[in-house]
Amino acid sequence: MIDLYSWPAPNGHKAHIMVEELGIAYRIIPIDITSGAQHEASYRAINPNGKIPAIVDHGIS
Ligand SMILES: N[C@@H](CCC(=O)N[C@@H](CS)C(=O)NCC(=O)O)C(=O)O
C-alpha cells in the first residue's frame, strides 16, 4: 500500500495521475498547503523539504 501525501496542486496532480495509471493500491493523505500543513513537524518527518507530494511505500502485505 502506498500512502500519497498530496493536495490538488500541479505537482500533486502529477503523482495522482501516476498512481492511477499504474493501477496500484494507494490512499491519499491530504496535506493542505494553503493552510501551511506542509510545514508541520509531523509532515516534515515524512518530507523534510516541506513540499507535496510525498510517497511512503509500505510494501506488499
Ligand atoms: N517536485 C518538487 C516540487 C514540489 C512542489 O513545489 N510542490 C508544491 C505544490 S505544486 C508545494 O508543495 N508548495 C508548497 C510550498 O512550497 O510551501 C519537490 O518535490 O521538491
Side-chain angles (χ1 to χ4, degrees):
M1 172 67 79
I2 297 272
D3 284 344
L4 173 56
Y5 294 81
S6 193
W7 191 252
N11 287 295
H13 291 316
K14 296 172 190 173
H16 305 161
I17 292 167
M18 179 193 72
V19 292
E20 278 295 321
E21 290 295 320
L22 289 172
I24 57 177
Y26 71 94
R27 64 180 175 178
I28 291 183
I29 299 163
I31 302 297
D32 183 354
I33 62 172
T34 67
S35 67
Q38 71 275 31
H39 302 303
E40 292 177 7
S42 58
Y43 185 64
R44 289 273 182 165
I46 292 161
N47 188 3
N49 81 352
K51 294 184 182 297
I52 61 96
I55 282 177
V56 176
D57 184 353
H58 298 285
I60 299 168
S61 55

